[in-house]
Amino acid sequence: MMHVYVPRDSTALALGADDVADAIALEAARRGVDVTIVRNGTRGMLWLEPLVEVQTALGRVGFGRVEAGDVAALFDAGFQGDHPLALGLVDAIPYLARQNRLTFARAGITDPLSLPDYEAHDGYRGLRNALAMAPADIVATVTASGLRGRGGAAFPTGIKWNTVLRAPGAQKYIVCNADEGDSGTFADRIVMEADPFMLIEGMTIAGLAVNATRGYIYVRSEYPHAISMLNAAIAQAELHGYLGADILGAGRAFHLEVRKGAGAYICGEETALLESLEGKRGIVRAKPPLPALSGLFGQPTVINNVLSLAAVPLILDKGASFYQDFGMGRSRGTLAVQLAGNIKQGGLIELAFGVTLREILYDFGGGSASGRPIKAVQVGGPLGAYLPASEWDTPLDYEAFAALWAVLGHGGIVVHDDSADMAKLARYAMAFCAIESCGKCTPCRIGSTRGVELIDNIRDKIRAGGGVQQVILLRDLCDTMLHGSLCAMGGMTPYPVLSALNHFPQDFGDVQQQHAA
């Protein structure tokens, strides 16, 4: 019996993984070879997808990128290392071997929809421990671990949970923000497609911690495969007693449902998400009150990102100190770096906080895909700052990036080579905000539109020998948006604009004019 693993991750599917799996089944039948095909998740090495793996006595051997037309030759070679697509032992590939896989330890290893497979790889151990603990003790464990929000704000998870635990409320909720809309991000999707039971377990533990009995996963509509996987996994968890009115016979209840977003970037903001979840238009709520006190349907609500909740089962299984041993400063645990854009080896890289951007770009990413020098790197999504080469030795740490007037955000990194026009990218940031703004506050709604006009004026007038006054106006506008916007949509749009203006003034025209401004 030969065990062959073909991923069903969205990236692999887009690159023909289903055709590869069908070709393997047909070729095996034609040759009379007994083959079991397991549709696993991705290992995160997306430039190698579809990555086909074969179980051997020494471990799983990989082949990539495999197309349906390669399958016959793989059988001819006996799925051995003398094939041109052979990668050797997958666990020994440097890109993977150098990582600290905690949250993504099972990604690509297990069948995502096999509950026995999940249990065999330490699944639901954290929940079993949590069921034997008082809610306050669960919260204390999460607090001691140093876990912070992975959605962008980096707020301490334990503090948020403790607020909800202490808040009075007849019904409390756990809401998972899976509206992963930032450019260059895909870690949430990989969790949902490669290890959905982990997210379900994390949300269930969160429910036990704050006495919430209902949970919702708000998934962006562009993730149909993730939605399908989550619904299938939830049905299995209910069937086997991990969800429902009496979890594992312990007398505790937690019910979980998936809700699909409607394509609005602003619904990644927690209060706009709540409005959408309630069936309303997704617009930002003023704070206070905080969602922890008055959230979904006016009740105390925990809102956490996928990665925050996915880290919880490990913490309850291994203990707070195990998790806190990874990282640096106040940034504990690991960061799921998502490397995209003009990069040779794009994919998911899970490492302890403290690795530098330069290491990510060259030791893992292998430099630009174009072969040209890398010029700028945007970290933290479309509202993140553009960082020049002089700042690439900064460790990936929340406070270190804040000192640069930058953000780690969700861990997305988008790479641009030296052909990139930073003035165009700055204009895009303003245009993106104008399109995606919910319209509730004037600095965001009007400011972003005026920002597009100003950048166009700067480029036109500098070409005509002027433009200094327009640069001053742009900086003043950014200051108004930064300090006057109701949420981070308008408040962070100045980050990419000003970083492009400050670090790459030559793309806006005369260098001296920019510094004089």
Side-chain angles (χ1 to χ4, degrees):
M1 170 70 71
M2 182 167 62
H3 285 80
V4 180
Y5 297 79
V6 182
R8 62 169 111 187
D9 170 82
S10 289
T11 301
L13 292 176
L15 294 169
D18 280 347
D19 291 339
V20 171
D22 291 343
I24 290 172
L26 288 171
E27 191 66 21
R30 188 179 72 82
R31 296 176 183 236
V33 177
D34 195 4
V35 171
T36 295
I37 299 174
V38 179
R39 302 306 300 272
N40 59 324
T42 182
R43 295 272 196 151
M45 297 180 288
L46 301 183
W47 83 97
L48 292 175
E49 295 292 5
L51 172 64
V52 173
E53 301 179 49
V54 179
Q55 185 67 52
T56 73
L58 298 177
R60 278 155 62 167
V61 174
F63 302 85
R65 307 172 58 166
V66 177
E67 298 179 2
D70 300 316
V71 169
L74 286 172
F75 274 92
D76 290 340
F79 283 93
Q80 299 298 314
D82 56 352
H83 191 277
L85 299 180
L87 302 168
L89 291 173
V90 176
D91 288 337
I93 296 173
Y95 191 96
L96 192 59
R98 292 198 298 260
Q99 296 188 34
N100 305 120
R101 285 287 175 104
L102 299 184
T103 301
F104 293 88
R106 282 177 293 266
I109 303 294
T110 59
D111 176 346
L113 293 181
S114 171
L115 185 55
D117 210 357
Y118 181 69
E119 292 170 323
H121 290 81
D122 297 339
Y124 278 117
R125 288 173 39 161
L127 176 61
R128 292 179 186 278
N129 289 340
L131 285 168
M133 300 167 66
D137 292 335
I138 301 174
V139 172
T141 300
V142 172
T143 303
S145 73
L147 177 65
R148 295 167 71 176
R150 296 292 191 260
F155 190 82
T157 303
I159 293 177
K160 182 182 290 187
W161 287 18
N162 191 55
T163 303
V164 177
L165 173 62
R166 294 176 177 273
Q171 174 69 64
K172 298 180 181 181
Y173 296 99
I174 307 296
V175 173
C176 174
N177 184 346
D179 192 58
E180 187 176 46
D182 283 353
S183 50
T185 59
F186 42 83
D188 290 355
R189 177 182 62 76
I190 290 178
V191 166
M192 293 184 285
E193 293 182 356
D195 202 0
F197 289 113
M198 175 175 60
L199 177 58
I200 294 168
E201 182 181 0
M203 292 187 69
T204 308
I205 293 170
L208 297 177
V210 303
N211 293 319
T213 57
R214 300 205 73 86
Y216 297 94
I217 308 174
Y218 186 93
V219 188
R220 65 192 309 238
S221 59
E222 296 88 345
Y223 283 177
H225 298 297
I227 292 170
S228 174
M229 298 288 277
L230 285 170
N231 281 324
I234 287 171
Q236 287 200 50
E238 290 173 340
L239 183 64
H240 291 87
Y242 288 111
L243 287 172
D246 186 14
I247 299 170
L248 297 180
R252 303 294 301 276
F254 190 71
H255 304 273
L256 185 58
E257 298 178 49
V258 175
R259 289 288 181 267
K260 184 167 68 174
Y265 179 78
I266 193 61
C267 287
E269 195 279 333
E270 61 180 11
T271 63
L273 184 155
L274 292 177
E275 290 287 295
S276 178
L277 199 54
E278 291 179 6
K280 304 171 187 174
R281 178 185 170 198
I283 59 174
V284 175
R285 296 177 182 175
K287 300 176 188 177
L290 296 172
L293 300 175
S294 179
L296 186 63
F297 303 117
Q299 299 300 315
T301 304
V302 168
I303 307 177
N304 279 133
N305 167 262
V306 170
L307 296 180
S308 307
L309 291 162
V312 170
L314 178 74
I315 293 169
L316 269 293
D317 177 17
K318 304 288 187 182
S321 60
F322 174 86
Y323 192 79
Q324 199 182 64
D325 282 345
F326 294 85
M328 62 175 287
R330 291 179 55 218
S331 302
R332 310 313 306 176
T334 57
L335 176 68
V337 175
Q338 298 130 85
L339 192 54
N342 193 336
I343 195 74
K344 189 179 296 182
Q345 297 178 169
L348 176 82
I349 306 159
E350 185 181 7
L351 290 168
F353 286 95
V355 64
T356 68
L357 198 53
R358 194 178 302 275
E359 291 175 87
I360 294 292
L361 294 174
Y362 294 102
D363 294 351
F364 287 90
S368 71
S370 64
R372 299 175 64 94
I374 296 175
K375 178 178 181 177
V377 179
Q378 188 176 36
V379 183
L383 308 182
Y386 288 105
L387 302 180
S390 61
E391 296 181 341
W392 295 348
D393 293 314
T394 304
L396 295 183
D397 163 75
Y398 292 117
E399 281 64 45
F401 264 60
L404 295 177
W405 207 70
V407 293
L408 274 182
H410 188 46
I413 296 176
V414 179
V415 181
H416 300 272
D417 72 11
D418 63 354
S419 66
D421 183 335
M422 303 309 295
K424 284 186 178 180
L425 291 174
R427 184 190 189 280
Y428 174 78
M430 284 291 189
F432 178 81
C433 181
I435 293 169
E436 296 293 345
S437 172
C438 76
K440 187 167 185 175
C441 71
T442 302
C444 178
R445 182 182 71 251
I446 303 300
S448 54
T449 300
R450 295 293 169 259
V452 172
E453 296 169 355
L454 276 171
I455 293 173
D456 286 342
N457 288 341
I458 288 168
R459 303 186 79 204
D460 291 342
K461 293 193 175 185
I462 284 178
R463 283 192 287 267
V468 174
Q469 186 61 37
Q470 299 296 310
V471 172
I472 295 173
L473 284 174
L474 178 61
R475 291 185 182 277
D476 285 348
L477 174 65
C478 285
D479 187 67
T480 299
M481 294 178 68
L482 182 68
H483 295 102
S485 297
L486 192 57
C487 79
M489 180 80 233
M492 287 183 62
T493 295
Y495 278 57
V497 176
L498 292 177
S499 60
L501 190 60
N502 292 335
H503 297 306
F504 308 96
Q506 65 276 11
D507 287 9
F508 291 82
D510 183 76
V511 175
Q512 292 304 118
Q513 286 183 331
Q514 312 313 320
H515 286 295

